[in-house]
Amino acid sequence: MRKVIKGNHAVAEAVKLCRVKVISAYPITPQTTISEELAERCARGEIDAAFIKVESEHSAMAALVGASTAGVRTFTATSSHGLLYMHEVLHWAAGARLPIVMVNVNRAVGAPWNIWADQSDSVSQRDTGWIQIYVESCQEALDSVILAYGLAESLSVPVMIAYDAFFLSHTSEVVDVPEAACVDALLPAYEPAQRIELADPRMFGGMMSPEHYYEQRYLCHRRSCEAQERLAEIGEAYGRATGRSYDVLEAGRTDDAEIIVVCAGTMTSVVRIAVDELRQLGRKVGLMKLRLFRPLPAERWRNVLGGAQKVIVLDRNLSPGLGGAFAGEVMAALYPLSSRPLVYPVVAGIGGRDVTPADVRGIIEQVDRSGRPADAPIFWGLKE
């Protein structure tokens, strides 16, 4: 069934299709309409789930830790400072290997206050142990929530879906909503290996000594790494059922590309337009869209980027004192290559500023003229 819906409402459709049993969320712009839509659907009986109204994002995630430990499918959504407020409990959920799925609507962090698109909030949580998937469209947001539950529950890991504030959250697109029977076939009812049971008491979250803690953390790491292959398998199965396949990345026109632009989120659509325009002029440029950021699919990145002469990494996030976070990760991934492309970090679109195809063409032209990258990132569009 096709609908014209906003990104946030596409997420609500996916949560309904996944038959989530506990939803806990605290409203924060621009995520609020996800919580509102889910609360209304629960109140109308369209979703057979308990909606827990909490006083903070910290409590929202803590409530889901309890519900997931009890053995039910859970969901929450947040943005910006709400995600930062969850930080402590994100570590707990990952360490307990709970298959919680969360949507983070990427929004800039203060100070100063800004409610527009910026990926710094989710990027700052990359070491918590959560799988991170970045999406480009409303359709991809809906599909990725469904894929996330299959990934989370098969590996016992929490998964975060991230997409840009307002560019997706409040923009309407044509979205193909799968039939419930199709999703049911792909996503069976959740049956955890262990859960809280009164007839079989167990201890969860107890103290662990140095003798065992190291190995427990290693197991979390190993399961996270397995998400690369598992996501590709689930994405392929989803494609057979719906016609829309997903992988850990998307490469476009990269086979013979001399310059490849790397990006994530909605800027990908803009880069794609610029790449197509330059290709029509005979320029050998390509695009690599990042989808999976944690675990980091370094080998896949090397396979796509290793043959290029130059790589531009376009970051809508900023790690002060370093530059864009994605650029640093791309450089680290390419380091083992004996012959590797020059990497040009570019920061653009911070705080929701527009990035146009003309901007992307300008960035590519500047890099093409450059002999070597400068020590500092290119801050594109920065005003005097």
Side-chain angles (χ1 to χ4, degrees):
M1 176 173 55
R2 288 194 156 193
K3 293 185 177 182
V4 178
I5 50 178
K6 299 174 182 177
N8 282 356
H9 289 176
V11 166
E13 291 281 357
V15 171
K16 175 184 177 181
L17 287 168
C18 292
R19 303 191 187 280
V20 172
K21 292 301 180 184
V22 175
I23 302 166
S24 180
Y26 189 84
I28 180 171
T29 302
Q31 167 273 127
T32 301
T33 53
I34 299 177
S35 301
E36 289 177 344
E37 182 72 10
L38 290 173
E40 290 174 2
R41 290 186 176 214
C42 288
R44 293 195 299 262
E46 293 179 16
I47 299 178
D48 181 19
F51 191 99
I52 304 175
K53 294 175 284 186
V54 291
E55 79 285 358
S56 72
E57 290 86 356
H58 187 283
S59 295
M61 184 54 63
L64 295 192
V65 166
S68 187
T69 305
V72 296
R73 191 169 286 162
T74 61
F75 177 81
T76 191
T78 191
S79 294
S80 187
H81 289 269
L83 181 65
L84 306 188
Y85 196 14
M86 287 181 179
H87 179 75
E88 175 193 4
V89 199
L90 295 184
H91 280 281
W92 194 270
R97 293 181 55 193
L98 299 172
I100 299 168
V101 171
M102 169 170 61
V103 163
N104 180 70
V105 183
N106 286 127
R107 173 192 136 180
V109 296
W113 283 113
N114 178 297
I115 61 171
W116 290 275
D118 191 312
Q119 295 158 342
S120 298
D121 55 354
S122 56
V123 164
S124 70
Q125 307 302 310
R126 65 187 182 271
D127 299 328
T128 58
W130 282 64
I131 307 300
Q132 288 197 9
I133 299 172
Y134 289 78
V135 304
E136 177 186 357
S137 66
C138 296
Q139 181 71 68
E140 192 175 356
L142 182 148
D143 293 337
S144 294
V145 170
I146 299 170
L147 295 173
Y149 280 106
L151 182 63
E153 293 171 6
S154 64
L155 296 177
S156 294
V157 292
V159 180
M160 179 190 306
I161 308 297
Y163 60 80
D164 293 338
F166 296 103
F167 291 117
L168 280 193
S169 63
H170 288 66
T171 299
S172 296
E173 296 178 358
V174 176
V175 175
D176 184 0
V177 181
E179 295 296 328
C182 173
V183 177
D184 288 342
L186 292 165
L187 187 65
Y190 176 45
E191 290 293 339
Q194 56 187 10
R195 67 175 84 196
I196 295 174
E197 295 184 80
L198 296 179
D200 183 18
R202 303 182 185 190
M203 183 177 72
F204 294 87
M207 181 70 72
M208 185 174 286
S209 70
E211 186 178 1
H212 302 293
Y213 181 82
Y214 182 9
E215 284 71 23
Q216 190 273 347
R217 297 304 296 171
Y218 170 73
L219 288 173
C220 289
H221 165 72
R222 193 173 71 182
R223 276 303 175 97
S224 178
C225 290
E226 290 173 9
Q228 298 183 47
E229 184 176 347
R230 186 72 185 118
L231 180 60
E233 292 171 354
I234 295 172
E236 185 178 344
Y238 191 78
R240 290 193 296 269
T242 66
R244 296 183 300 277
S245 298
Y246 293 96
D247 201 350
V248 301
L249 58 81
E250 179 186 321
R253 298 177 179 264
T254 57
D255 289 344
D256 65 340
E258 297 173 354
I259 298 177
I260 299 176
V261 182
V262 178
C263 58
T266 54
M267 279 201 296
T268 308
S269 301
V270 178
V271 173
R272 192 177 284 109
I273 293 171
V275 166
D276 288 345
E277 291 173 346
L278 289 172
R279 278 283 176 170
Q280 291 176 1
L281 298 175
R283 305 288 294 279
K284 293 184 177 181
V285 295
L287 160 69
M288 188 181 87
K289 176 174 110 177
L290 306 184
R291 268 183 45 80
L292 184 66
F293 180 53
R294 279 297 185 274
L296 193 142
E299 186 64 30
R300 293 291 302 277
W301 289 7
R302 287 192 284 267
N303 291 340
V304 174
L305 303 175
Q309 296 175 12
K310 297 179 179 180
V311 171
I312 300 168
V313 185
L314 199 53
D315 270 293
R316 184 172 247 142
N317 62 75
L318 177 62
S319 177
L322 173 68
F326 292 145
E329 306 266 356
V330 168
M331 284 188 264
L334 294 177
Y335 183 77
L337 295 177
S338 57
S339 176
R340 51 186 176 270
L342 298 173
V343 178
Y344 290 77
V346 179
V347 177
I350 293 293
R353 186 171 295 184
D354 280 341
V355 177
T356 67
D359 289 320
V360 177
R361 292 195 303 271
I363 293 168
I364 293 173
E365 293 296 341
Q366 180 173 325
V367 167
D368 195 25
R369 293 192 302 267
S370 172
R372 292 192 64 83
D375 290 336
I378 299 170
F379 286 89
W380 188 262
L382 192 66
K383 297 177 181 178
E384 294 293 334

